[in-house]
Coordinates of all heavy atoms in Angstrom, one line a residue:
N1 N 0.8 -1.2 0.0 CA 0.0 0.0 0.0 C 0.9 1.2 0.0 O 1.7 1.5 0.9 CB -0.9 -0.1 1.3 CG -2.0 1.0 1.2 OD1 -1.8 2.1 0.7 ND2 -3.1 0.7 1.8
A2 N 0.7 2.1 -1.0 CA 1.6 3.3 -1.1 C 1.4 4.4 -0.2 O 2.2 5.2 0.2 CB 1.5 3.8 -2.5
V3 N 0.2 4.4 0.4 CA -0.2 5.5 1.3 C 0.1 5.2 2.8 O 0.3 6.1 3.6 CB -1.7 5.9 1.2 CG1 -1.9 7.0 0.2 CG2 -2.6 4.7 1.0
L4 N 0.3 3.9 3.1 CA 0.6 3.5 4.5 C 1.7 2.4 4.4 O 1.5 1.4 3.8 CB -0.7 3.1 5.1 CG -0.5 2.4 6.5 CD1 0.0 3.5 7.5 CD2 -1.8 1.9 7.0
K5 N 2.7 2.6 5.2 CA 3.7 1.6 5.4 C 3.9 1.4 6.9 O 4.0 2.4 7.6 CB 5.1 1.9 4.7 CG 4.9 2.0 3.2 CD 6.2 2.3 2.6 CE 6.1 2.5 1.1 NZ 7.3 2.9 0.4
I6 N 4.0 0.2 7.4 CA 4.3 -0.1 8.8 C 5.4 -1.1 8.9 O 5.6 -2.0 8.1 CB 3.0 -0.6 9.5 CG1 2.5 -2.0 8.8 CG2 1.9 0.4 9.5 CD1 1.4 -2.7 9.7
Y7 N 6.2 -1.0 9.9 CA 7.3 -1.9 10.3 C 7.8 -1.6 11.6 O 7.5 -0.5 12.2 CB 8.4 -1.8 9.2 CG 9.0 -0.5 8.9 CD1 10.1 0.0 9.7 CD2 8.4 0.4 8.0 CE1 10.7 1.2 9.4 CE2 9.0 1.7 7.7 CZ 10.0 2.1 8.5 OH 10.6 3.3 8.2
P8 N 8.4 -2.6 12.3 CA 8.6 -4.0 11.8 C 7.3 -4.8 11.9 O 6.4 -4.4 12.7 CB 9.6 -4.6 12.8 CG 9.4 -3.8 14.1 CD 8.9 -2.4 13.6
N9 N 7.2 -5.8 11.2 CA 6.0 -6.6 11.1 C 6.5 -8.1 11.0 O 6.9 -8.4 9.9 CB 5.0 -6.3 10.0 CG 3.7 -7.0 10.1 OD1 3.4 -7.6 11.1 ND2 2.9 -6.8 9.2
P10 N 6.5 -8.9 12.0 CA 5.8 -8.7 13.3 C 6.5 -7.8 14.2 O 7.6 -7.4 14.1 CB 5.8 -10.1 13.9 CG 6.8 -10.9 13.2 CD 7.0 -10.3 11.9
V11 N 5.7 -7.2 15.2 CA 6.2 -6.1 16.1 C 6.1 -6.7 17.5 O 5.3 -7.5 17.8 CB 5.4 -4.8 16.0 CG1 3.9 -5.1 16.3 CG2 6.0 -3.7 16.7
S12 N 7.1 -6.2 18.4 CA 7.0 -6.6 19.8 C 7.0 -5.4 20.7 O 6.7 -5.5 21.9 CB 8.2 -7.5 20.1 OG 9.4 -6.8 19.9
G13 N 7.2 -4.2 20.2 CA 7.2 -3.0 21.0 C 6.7 -1.8 20.2 O 5.4 -1.7 20.1
L14 N 7.5 -1.0 19.6 CA 7.0 0.2 18.9 C 6.9 -0.2 17.4 O 7.7 -0.8 16.8 CB 8.1 1.3 19.0 CG 8.2 1.9 20.3 CD1 9.3 3.1 20.3 CD2 6.9 2.5 20.8
L15 N 5.7 0.2 16.9 CA 5.4 0.0 15.5 C 5.6 1.4 14.8 O 4.9 2.3 15.3 CB 3.9 -0.5 15.3 CG 3.4 -0.7 13.9 CD1 4.2 -1.9 13.3 CD2 1.9 -0.9 13.9
L16 N 6.4 1.4 13.8 CA 6.5 2.7 13.1 C 5.6 2.7 11.8 O 5.5 1.7 11.1 CB 8.0 2.8 12.5 CG 8.3 4.0 11.7 CD1 8.1 5.3 12.5 CD2 9.7 3.9 11.1
L17 N 4.8 3.8 11.7 CA 4.0 3.9 10.5 C 4.3 5.1 9.8 O 4.6 6.2 10.4 CB 2.5 3.8 10.9 CG 1.8 4.9 11.7 CD1 0.8 5.5 10.7 CD2 1.2 4.3 12.9
C18 N 4.4 5.0 8.5 CA 4.6 6.1 7.6 C 3.5 6.3 6.7 O 3.0 5.3 6.0 CB 5.9 5.8 6.8 SG 7.4 5.6 7.8
V19 N 2.9 7.5 6.7 CA 1.8 7.8 5.8 C 2.2 8.8 4.7 O 3.1 9.6 4.9 CB 0.6 8.3 6.6 CG1 0.0 7.3 7.6 CG2 0.9 9.6 7.3
S20 N 1.6 8.7 3.6 CA 1.9 9.6 2.5 C 1.5 11.0 2.8 O 0.6 11.3 3.7 CB 1.1 9.2 1.2 OG -0.3 9.4 1.4
Q21 N 2.1 12.0 2.1 CA 1.8 13.4 2.2 C 0.3 13.6 2.0 O -0.3 14.5 2.6 CB 2.6 14.3 1.4 CG 4.1 14.3 1.8 CD 4.3 15.0 3.2 OE1 3.5 15.9 3.6 NE2 5.2 14.6 3.9
E22 N -0.3 12.9 1.1 CA -1.7 13.0 0.7 C -2.6 12.8 1.9 O -3.6 13.6 2.1 CB -2.0 11.9 -0.3 CG -3.5 11.7 -0.6 CD -3.8 10.5 -1.5 OE1 -2.9 10.0 -2.2 OE2 -4.9 10.1 -1.5
L23 N -2.2 11.9 2.8 CA -3.1 11.6 4.0 C -2.8 12.7 5.0 O -3.6 12.9 5.9 CB -2.7 10.3 4.6 CG -3.5 9.1 4.0 CD1 -3.0 7.8 4.7 CD2 -4.9 9.3 4.0
M24 N -1.7 13.5 4.9 CA -1.4 14.5 5.9 C -2.0 15.8 5.6 O -1.9 16.8 6.3 CB 0.1 14.7 6.1 CG 0.8 13.4 6.6 SD 0.1 12.7 8.1 CE 0.3 14.0 9.3
Q25 N -2.8 15.9 4.4 CA -3.5 17.1 4.1 C -4.5 17.6 5.0 O -4.8 18.7 5.1 CB -4.1 17.0 2.6 CG -3.1 16.6 1.6 CD -2.1 17.8 1.3 OE1 -2.4 18.9 1.4 NE2 -0.8 17.4 1.0
S26 N -5.1 16.6 5.7 CA -6.2 16.9 6.7 C -6.0 16.0 7.9 O -5.2 15.0 7.8 CB -7.6 16.8 6.1 OG -7.8 15.5 5.7
P27 N -6.6 16.3 9.0 CA -6.3 15.6 10.3 C -6.7 14.0 10.1 O -7.7 13.7 9.5 CB -7.2 16.2 11.3 CG -7.4 17.6 10.9 CD -7.4 17.5 9.3
S28 N -5.8 13.2 10.5 CA -5.9 11.7 10.4 C -5.8 11.1 11.8 O -5.2 11.6 12.6 CB -4.9 11.2 9.5 OG -5.0 11.7 8.2
V29 N -6.5 9.9 11.9 CA -6.4 9.2 13.1 C -6.1 7.7 12.8 O -6.7 7.1 11.8 CB -7.8 9.2 13.9 CG1 -7.8 8.3 15.0 CG2 -8.2 10.6 14.3
A30 N -5.2 7.2 13.5 CA -4.8 5.7 13.4 C -5.6 4.9 14.5 O -5.7 5.4 15.6 CB -3.3 5.5 13.6
A31 N -6.2 3.8 14.1 CA -6.9 2.9 15.0 C -6.4 1.5 14.8 O -6.3 1.0 13.7 CB -8.5 3.0 14.7
V32 N -6.2 0.9 16.0 CA -5.8 -0.6 15.9 C -7.1 -1.4 16.4 O -7.6 -1.1 17.4 CB -4.7 -0.8 16.8 CG1 -4.3 -2.3 16.9 CG2 -3.5 0.0 16.4
T33 N -7.4 -2.4 15.6 CA -8.6 -3.2 15.8 C -8.1 -4.7 15.9 O -7.3 -5.1 15.2 CB -9.5 -3.1 14.6 OG1 -9.8 -1.8 14.4 CG2 -10.8 -3.8 14.9
D34 N -8.7 -5.3 17.0 CA -8.3 -6.8 17.1 C -9.1 -7.6 16.2 O -10.0 -7.1 15.4 CB -8.4 -7.2 18.5 CG -9.8 -7.2 19.1 OD1 -10.7 -7.1 18.3 OD2 -9.9 -7.3 20.3
I35 N -8.9 -8.9 16.2 CA -9.6 -9.8 15.3 C -11.1 -10.0 15.5 O -11.8 -10.4 14.6 CB -8.9 -11.2 15.2 CG1 -9.0 -11.9 16.6 CG2 -7.5 -11.2 14.6 CD1 -8.5 -13.4 16.4
T36 N -11.5 -9.5 16.7 CA -13.0 -9.5 16.9 C -13.7 -8.2 16.4 O -14.9 -8.1 16.6 CB -13.2 -9.7 18.4 OG1 -12.8 -8.5 19.1 CG2 -12.7 -11.0 18.9
G37 N -12.9 -7.3 15.9 CA -13.4 -6.0 15.5 C -13.5 -4.9 16.5 O -13.9 -3.8 16.2
R38 N -12.9 -5.2 17.7 CA -12.9 -4.2 18.8 C -11.7 -3.3 18.6 O -10.6 -3.7 18.4 CB -12.8 -5.0 20.1 CG -12.9 -4.1 21.3 CD -12.9 -4.9 22.6 NE -11.8 -5.8 22.7 CZ -10.7 -5.6 23.5 NH1 -10.7 -4.6 24.3 NH2 -9.8 -6.5 23.5
I39 N -12.0 -2.0 18.7 CA -10.9 -1.0 18.6 C -10.2 -1.0 20.0 O -10.7 -0.7 21.0 CB -11.4 0.4 18.3 CG1 -12.1 0.4 16.9 CG2 -10.3 1.5 18.4 CD1 -12.8 1.7 16.6
V40 N -8.9 -1.3 19.9 CA -8.1 -1.4 21.2 C -7.2 -0.3 21.3 O -6.6 -0.1 22.4 CB -7.3 -2.8 21.2 CG1 -8.3 -3.9 21.2 CG2 -6.4 -2.9 19.9
L41 N -7.0 0.6 20.3 CA -6.1 1.7 20.5 C -6.4 2.7 19.4 O -6.6 2.3 18.3 CB -4.6 1.2 20.3 CG -3.5 2.1 20.7 CD1 -2.4 1.1 21.2 CD2 -2.9 2.8 19.5
T42 N -6.3 4.0 19.7 CA -6.5 5.1 18.7 C -5.4 6.1 19.1 O -5.0 6.3 20.2 CB -7.9 5.7 18.7 OG1 -8.1 6.3 20.0 CG2 -9.0 4.8 18.4
Q43 N -5.0 6.8 18.0 CA -3.9 7.8 18.1 C -4.0 8.8 17.0 O -4.1 8.4 15.8 CB -2.6 7.1 18.1 CG -1.4 8.1 18.2 CD -0.1 7.3 18.3 OE1 0.0 6.4 19.0 NE2 0.9 7.8 17.5
P44 N -4.1 10.1 17.3 CA -4.0 11.1 16.2 C -2.7 11.0 15.5 O -1.7 10.8 16.0 CB -4.3 12.4 16.8 CG -3.9 12.2 18.3 CD -4.1 10.8 18.6
L45 N -2.7 11.4 14.2 CA -1.4 11.4 13.4 C -1.2 12.9 13.1 O -1.9 13.5 12.5 CB -1.6 10.6 12.1 CG -1.9 9.2 12.3 CD1 -2.0 8.5 10.9 CD2 -0.8 8.4 13.1
W46 N 0.0 13.3 13.6 CA 0.4 14.7 13.4 C 1.6 14.8 12.4 O 1.8 15.9 11.9 CB 0.9 15.3 14.7 CG -0.2 15.2 15.8 CD1 -0.2 14.4 16.9 CD2 -1.4 16.0 15.9 NE1 -1.3 14.6 17.6 CE2 -2.1 15.6 17.0 CE3 -2.0 16.9 15.0 CZ2 -3.3 16.1 17.4 CZ3 -3.2 17.4 15.4 CH2 -3.9 17.0 16.6
Q47 N 2.2 13.8 12.1 CA 3.4 13.8 11.2 C 3.3 12.6 10.3 O 2.7 11.6 10.6 CB 4.7 13.7 12.1 CG 4.9 14.8 13.1 CD 6.1 14.6 13.9 OE1 7.2 14.3 13.4 NE2 5.9 14.6 15.2
P48 N 4.1 12.7 9.2 CA 4.1 11.5 8.2 C 4.7 10.2 8.8 O 4.3 9.2 8.3 CB 4.9 12.0 7.1 CG 4.9 13.5 7.1 CD 4.8 13.8 8.6
A49 N 5.5 10.4 9.8 CA 6.2 9.2 10.4 C 5.8 9.3 11.9 O 6.1 10.3 12.6 CB 7.6 9.2 10.3
E50 N 5.1 8.3 12.4 CA 4.6 8.2 13.8 C 5.0 6.8 14.4 O 5.2 5.8 13.6 CB 3.1 8.4 13.9 CG 2.7 9.8 13.5 CD 2.7 10.8 14.7 OE1 3.0 10.4 15.8 OE2 2.4 12.0 14.4
T51 N 5.0 6.7 15.7 CA 5.2 5.4 16.3 C 3.9 5.1 17.2 O 3.4 6.0 17.7 CB 6.4 5.4 17.2 OG1 6.4 6.4 18.2 CG2 7.7 5.5 16.4
I52 N 3.6 3.9 17.2 CA 2.5 3.4 18.1 C 3.1 2.3 19.0 O 3.8 1.4 18.6 CB 1.4 2.8 17.2 CG1 0.7 3.9 16.4 CG2 0.4 2.1 18.1 CD1 -0.4 3.4 15.5
N53 N 2.9 2.6 20.3 CA 3.4 1.6 21.3 C 2.4 0.4 21.4 O 1.2 0.6 21.8 CB 3.5 2.4 22.7 CG 4.1 1.5 23.7 OD1 4.1 0.3 23.7 ND2 4.7 2.2 24.7
T54 N 2.9 -0.7 21.1 CA 2.0 -1.9 21.1 C 2.2 -2.8 22.3 O 1.7 -3.9 22.4 CB 2.3 -2.8 19.8 OG1 3.6 -3.3 19.9 CG2 2.1 -2.0 18.6
N55 N 3.0 -2.3 23.3 CA 3.2 -3.0 24.5 C 2.0 -3.5 25.3 O 2.0 -4.5 25.9 CB 4.2 -2.3 25.5 CG 5.6 -2.3 24.9 OD1 6.1 -3.2 24.2 ND2 6.3 -1.2 25.2
S56 N 0.9 -2.7 25.2 CA -0.3 -3.1 25.9 C -1.2 -4.1 25.2 O -2.1 -4.6 25.7 CB -1.1 -1.8 26.2 OG -1.6 -1.2 24.9
L57 N -0.8 -4.4 24.0 CA -1.6 -5.4 23.1 C -1.2 -6.8 23.4 O 0.0 -7.1 23.6 CB -1.4 -5.0 21.7 CG -1.8 -3.6 21.2 CD1 -1.5 -3.5 19.6 CD2 -3.2 -3.4 21.5
A58 N -2.1 -7.7 23.4 CA -1.9 -9.1 23.6 C -1.3 -9.7 22.2 O -1.5 -9.0 21.2 CB -3.2 -9.9 23.9
K59 N -0.6 -10.8 22.3 CA -0.1 -11.3 21.1 C -1.3 -11.7 20.2 O -2.3 -12.1 20.6 CB 0.7 -12.6 21.3 CG 2.0 -12.4 22.1 CD 2.7 -13.6 22.4 CE 4.0 -13.4 23.1 NZ 4.7 -14.6 23.4
G60 N -1.1 -11.4 18.8 CA -2.1 -11.7 17.9 C -2.0 -11.0 16.6 O -1.1 -10.2 16.4
I61 N -3.1 -11.0 15.8 CA -3.2 -10.3 14.6 C -4.1 -9.1 14.7 O -5.2 -9.2 15.3 CB -3.8 -11.2 13.5 CG1 -2.8 -12.4 13.3 CG2 -3.9 -10.4 12.2 CD1 -3.4 -13.5 12.4
Y62 N -3.6 -8.0 14.2 CA -4.4 -6.7 14.3 C -4.5 -6.0 13.0 O -3.7 -6.2 12.1 CB -3.7 -5.7 15.3 CG -3.7 -6.3 16.8 CD1 -2.7 -7.1 17.2 CD2 -4.7 -5.9 17.6 CE1 -2.7 -7.6 18.4 CE2 -4.8 -6.4 18.9 CZ -3.8 -7.2 19.3 OH -3.8 -7.7 20.6
L63 N -5.5 -5.1 12.9 CA -5.7 -4.3 11.7 C -5.5 -2.8 12.1 O -6.1 -2.3 13.0 CB -7.0 -4.5 11.1 CG -7.3 -3.7 9.8 CD1 -6.5 -4.2 8.7 CD2 -8.8 -3.8 9.5
L64 N -4.6 -2.2 11.4 CA -4.3 -0.7 11.6 C -5.1 0.0 10.5 O -4.8 -0.3 9.3 CB -2.8 -0.4 11.6 CG -2.5 1.0 11.6 CD1 -2.8 1.6 13.0 CD2 -1.0 1.3 11.3
T65 N -5.9 0.9 10.9 CA -6.6 1.8 9.9 C -6.3 3.2 10.1 O -6.1 3.7 11.2 CB -8.1 1.6 9.9 OG1 -8.6 1.9 11.2 CG2 -8.6 0.2 9.5
V66 N -6.2 4.0 9.0 CA -5.9 5.4 9.1 C -7.2 6.0 8.5 O -7.6 5.7 7.3 CB -4.7 5.8 8.3 CG1 -4.6 7.4 8.3 CG2 -3.5 5.2 8.9
S67 N -7.9 6.9 9.2 CA -9.1 7.5 8.7 C -9.0 9.0 8.8 O -8.3 9.6 9.6 CB -10.3 7.0 9.5 OG -10.2 7.2 10.9
Q68 N -9.9 9.7 8.0 CA -10.1 11.1 8.0 C -11.5 11.4 8.0 O -12.3 10.8 7.1 CB -9.4 11.8 6.8 CG -7.9 11.7 6.8 CD -7.4 12.2 5.4 OE1 -7.9 11.9 4.4 NE2 -6.2 12.8 5.5
S69 N -12.0 12.2 8.9 CA -13.5 12.5 9.0 C -14.3 11.3 9.0 O -15.4 11.2 8.4 CB -13.8 13.4 7.9 OG -13.1 14.6 7.9
G70 N -13.9 10.2 9.7 CA -14.6 9.0 9.8 C -14.6 8.0 8.5 O -15.1 7.0 8.6
N71 N -13.8 8.5 7.5 CA -13.7 7.6 6.3 C -12.3 6.9 6.3 O -11.3 7.6 6.5 CB -13.8 8.4 5.0 CG -15.2 9.1 4.9 OD1 -16.2 8.4 5.1 ND2 -15.2 10.3 4.6
I72 N -12.3 5.6 6.2 CA -11.0 4.9 6.2 C -10.3 5.1 4.9 O -10.9 5.0 3.8 CB -11.3 3.3 6.4 CG1 -11.8 3.1 7.8 CG2 -10.0 2.6 6.2 CD1 -12.2 1.6 8.0
R73 N -9.1 5.6 5.0 CA -8.3 5.9 3.8 C -7.2 4.9 3.5 O -6.7 4.8 2.4 CB -7.6 7.3 4.0 CG -8.6 8.5 4.2 CD -9.3 8.8 2.9 NE -8.4 9.0 1.7 CZ -7.8 10.0 1.4 NH1 -7.9 11.1 2.2 NH2 -6.9 10.1 0.4
A74 N -6.7 4.2 4.5 CA -5.7 3.2 4.4 C -5.8 2.2 5.5 O -6.2 2.5 6.6 CB -4.3 3.9 4.4
C75 N -5.3 1.0 5.2 CA -5.3 -0.1 6.3 C -4.1 -1.0 6.0 O -3.7 -1.2 4.9 CB -6.6 -0.8 6.4 SG -7.0 -1.7 4.9
A76 N -3.7 -1.7 7.1 CA -2.6 -2.7 7.0 C -2.7 -3.6 8.2 O -3.2 -3.2 9.3 CB -1.2 -2.0 7.1
R77 N -2.4 -4.9 8.0 CA -2.5 -5.9 9.0 C -1.1 -6.0 9.6 O -0.1 -5.9 8.9 CB -2.9 -7.2 8.4 CG -3.2 -8.2 9.4 CD -3.7 -9.5 8.8 NE -2.6 -10.1 8.0 CZ -2.6 -11.2 7.4 NH1 -3.7 -11.9 7.3 NH2 -1.5 -11.7 6.8
F78 N -1.1 -6.3 10.9 CA 0.3 -6.6 11.5 C 0.1 -7.6 12.6 O -1.0 -7.9 13.1 CB 0.9 -5.3 12.1 CG 0.3 -4.7 13.3 CD1 0.7 -5.0 14.5 CD2 -0.7 -3.8 13.1 CE1 0.1 -4.4 15.7 CE2 -1.3 -3.1 14.2 CZ -0.9 -3.5 15.5
V79 N 1.2 -8.2 13.0 CA 1.2 -9.3 14.0 C 2.0 -8.8 15.2 O 3.1 -8.2 15.1 CB 1.9 -10.6 13.4 CG1 2.0 -11.6 14.6 CG2 1.1 -11.1 12.3
K80 N 1.3 -8.9 16.4 CA 2.0 -8.6 17.6 C 2.6 -9.9 18.2 O 1.9 -10.8 18.4 CB 1.0 -7.9 18.6 CG 1.5 -7.7 20.0 CD 2.6 -6.8 20.1 CE 3.1 -6.4 21.4 NZ 3.0 -7.0 22.6
Q81 N 3.9 -9.8 18.5 CA 4.6 -11.0 19.1 C 4.6 -10.9 20.6 O 4.7 -9.9 21.1 CB 6.0 -11.1 18.6 CG 6.1 -11.5 17.2 CD 7.5 -11.8 16.7 OE1 8.5 -11.1 17.3 NE2 7.7 -12.6 15.8

């Protein structure tokens, strides 16, 4: 996905996410959802490169979505070790 890149994947601590300049044109929010669809973490995005602390997450598979005004603009799956 050209608008969103995340690494490392799998992650054990800090997840680095890089979003395109296109997504930084207006306020964006990153949300992490577990496999049951429950939002477990949200964070506003202020810069094209941000970190998300995953230490509070249990091991498993998660979906990271970036949205603007409630519309999902990008998503990526990651594994928490």
Side-chain angles (χ1 to χ4, degrees):
N1 190 330
V3 272
L4 174 64
K5 294 180 182 177
I6 60 171
Y7 53 92
N9 191 8
V11 63
S12 59
L14 292 179
L15 180 69
L16 178 64
L17 70 113
C18 298
V19 296
S20 68
Q21 289 296 331
E22 172 190 338
L23 280 180
M24 296 310 297
Q25 300 294 326
S26 60
S28 300
V29 175
V32 175
T33 308
D34 66 14
I35 59 170
T36 67
R38 184 174 58 103
I39 296 174
V40 293
L41 193 146
T42 59
Q43 177 175 315
L45 300 178
W46 303 109
Q47 302 174 51
E50 295 272 358
T51 56
I52 294 180
N53 188 336
T54 66
N55 287 328
S56 64
L57 302 178
K59 292 180 181 181
I61 299 171
Y62 293 88
L63 183 66
L64 173 72
T65 57
V66 176
S67 59
Q68 293 173 322
S69 303
N71 298 316
I72 295 175
R73 297 290 311 275
C75 62
R77 188 179 71 175
F78 70 93
V79 176
K80 170 64 173 23
Q81 289 184 329

